[in-house]
Each structure stands twice: as C-alpha cells, then as structure tokens.
Amino acid sequence: MIELLRMQAQMQARQLTDCVRALARDPLAPEQLNACASAARSFESTALSVGLAAGAELARAMEECIAAVRRGEIELQQELIGMMLRAVEVLVSMAQLSPAESSLVLAEKDEQEGSEPCTSRSVLVVDDSPEVRELERKLLEFRGYRVTTAVDGVEAWYALLVGNFDLVLTDIDMPLLDGIQLTRRIRKSTRFARLPILIACDRDDVQQRWRCFDAGASYYVIKGTFHDTLVEAVATLLGPSRH
C-alpha cells in the first residue's frame, strides 16, 4: 500500500511540474492557477500519507501562494514562478526517495548552496511597502549584502523553503502573514531553528518589542532610524559582509 502511494506521489509531483511549466508560459490564465493549486493539494495529501512531511509543507506553501494570487493579494511575477519551478524540482526528488531519505533533501540542498563560492551574506527582506523594501535593499547592498525581497509573509515563507538565506529582515505589519506570524512559522521548523530574524517595528514600543521576542525574533529595529541602525543590527547578527 505504501509503495503504491509513493508511486502516486511521484506521478503527482510530475503533474505539478507540468502545471507550473504551463503557468510559466501563460501566467494570466485562471485555469492554470486552478490546475496548479489542485495538483499541489493532491501531492500534499499523498505526501503526508507516506511520511514526506517536508514535501507536504512545501506543497502547502505553494498552494497558499497560489491562493493569494487568485485573490489578487500578490502579483504572479516571473521571480515567483521561478521559485515555484525550483520547488517542484525538489518535490520530484523527494517523491523518488524513502521518507527517511527525503528529510535530508532540503538539508543537502542548503549544504550544496552554502558550499558554492559566495562573496557576501544573503538577506531576505520582507515588507509590503515598495518604498521601504527599496530603502532596505539599497542600504544592505551598499554594504555588500546580497538581498532578495518579498512583498508579504506568504511570499517570504515560500522563498525560504526554496532558497538559502543567512538572515530574514521582516516588517511587523503586513497582509496575509505578518511579521510575527512569519517569525512563529519559521521557528516551528527545525530547518530554520538558528536562522537570525530581524523585525522592523514602526514605533519604539515596549509591547511591540515584547511580541517580537516572544515570537522568536533575534532582534528588532525601528523604521525611522534605519540609516543609523539597520546595517549595524544586521552586521551584529551576521558579521560584516564578505566582499
């Protein structure tokens, strides 16, 4: 029975791959979004049945992202489609392994990415304000950090699952999944147990800071003092960027 379910998971992973590739060719087609969501949901259910917890988590994140796109809450840009394509490659690999082996896939992927020559630390910047994202990106890139941006917590969580980052810098107030919820979700995953999380607060408020630390944040910064404190806080958590 388990072997049949594993074969089904492999077939569903390939079907999901085809759906995402079709979506890349025609991102505006509603039927492609529906097909991707259905395929991700089917794989998630089967993956849980055969013990592929990491694969189910990744498929669930894809389904949440697609749902947000269908509601018009985030835009389906090429960068996001690229993340989906990388994710389905991981899912196909997981479906071909035993549950014990599949739990090592994401860890091995991180090790491979970490072993590649890298001249700087990688930071995931999460904020629903284009102006704030751009300011944070410029400040960090000027100091030599590599920056990837996300518009909300859902997109950030998806980026984390398929990418490799040294630190997350997230806004506290965002639609869909705010900074506190994102931090709690990150801390629930053993994969990200040691990942530094820096939360950008909109005011210097004791209660807000307490919520950040209670969720699992490593530190916080106040938006109005970015020019003086942001890079210093990142450097404190990561060390200076390697040029």
Side-chain angles (χ1 to χ4, degrees), residues 33 41 49 55 66 90 94 108 125 131 149 159 178 204 215 218 220-221 229 232:
L33 283 172
R41 193 178 307 114
S49 299
I66 293 170
V90 175
M94 286 182 173
E108 290 176 354
V125 168
E131 293 80 10
T149 60
D178 65 29
D204 191 3
S218 307
Y220 72 95
V221 289
T229 62
E232 179 182 351

Side-chain angles (χ1 to χ4, degrees), residues 4-241:
L4 287 175
L5 286 173
R6 286 185 58 199
M7 291 176 62
Q8 181 176 332
Q10 293 171 16
M11 180 184 67
Q12 290 169 335
R14 290 192 292 270
Q15 182 181 17
L16 181 55
T17 300
D18 292 339
C19 288
V20 176
R21 286 174 178 168
L23 184 64
R25 292 191 294 269
D26 190 4
L28 300 180
E31 62 272 17
Q32 300 297 355
L33 283 172
N34 294 336
C36 284
S38 178
R41 193 178 307 114
S42 297
F43 179 86
E44 178 191 350
S45 176
T46 305
L48 287 173
S49 299
V50 296
L52 300 176
E57 183 180 27
L58 189 53
R60 188 181 310 115
M62 181 179 295
E63 187 182 347
E64 290 174 353
C65 186
I66 293 170
V69 171
R70 288 193 293 188
R71 292 192 299 266
E73 295 168 342
I74 60 175
E75 294 183 9
L76 186 62
Q77 300 177 344
Q78 288 301 316
E79 182 178 2
L80 187 55
I81 293 175
M83 290 180 183
M84 289 184 179
L85 288 170
R86 292 195 296 274
V88 293
E89 289 177 2
V90 175
L91 290 180
V92 169
S93 298
M94 286 182 173
Q96 295 172 348
L97 301 173
S98 67
E101 293 171 323
S102 69
S103 64
L104 301 175
V105 169
L106 290 177
E108 290 176 354
K109 180 176 180 291
D110 287 345
E111 289 176 3
Q112 290 170 358
E113 292 179 350
S115 65
E116 295 174 356
C118 177
T119 58
S120 60
R121 304 274 190 170
S122 180
V123 178
L124 176 61
V125 168
V126 193
D127 202 295
D128 59 321
S129 166
E131 293 80 10
V132 175
R133 284 200 310 273
E134 183 66 9
L135 172 61
E136 292 171 337
R137 184 187 66 78
K138 287 182 177 179
L139 287 172
L140 293 172
E141 287 185 345
F142 180 76
R143 294 301 183 92
Y145 295 99
R146 289 184 295 119
V147 177
T148 299
T149 60
V151 301
D152 56 47
V154 171
E155 186 174 332
W157 177 242
Y158 193 77
L160 280 169
L161 289 175
V162 300
N164 187 38
F165 299 96
D166 298 299
L167 179 142
V168 174
L169 167 62
T170 179
D171 183 21
I172 191 169
D173 292 318
M174 296 181 294
L176 295 181
L177 194 71
D178 65 29
I180 298 296
Q181 294 169 321
L182 174 62
T183 300
R184 292 190 190 281
R185 178 171 290 197
I186 292 171
R187 289 299 181 233
K188 285 181 180 179
S189 172
T190 55
R191 180 186 173 199
F192 304 121
R194 300 177 63 182
L195 179 67
I197 304 173
L198 184 61
I199 297 185
C201 300
D202 52 13
R203 61 185 183 276
D204 191 3
D205 179 84
V206 173
Q207 185 175 3
Q208 195 173 73
R209 295 200 304 268
W210 180 86
R211 289 178 59 217
C212 295
F213 289 124
D214 182 64
S218 307
Y219 198 58
Y220 72 95
V221 289
I222 308 301
K223 287 187 177 182
T225 63
F226 270 175
H227 286 87
D228 300 321
T229 62
L230 177 60
V231 175
E232 179 182 351
V234 171
T236 298
L237 293 171
L238 287 184
S241 179

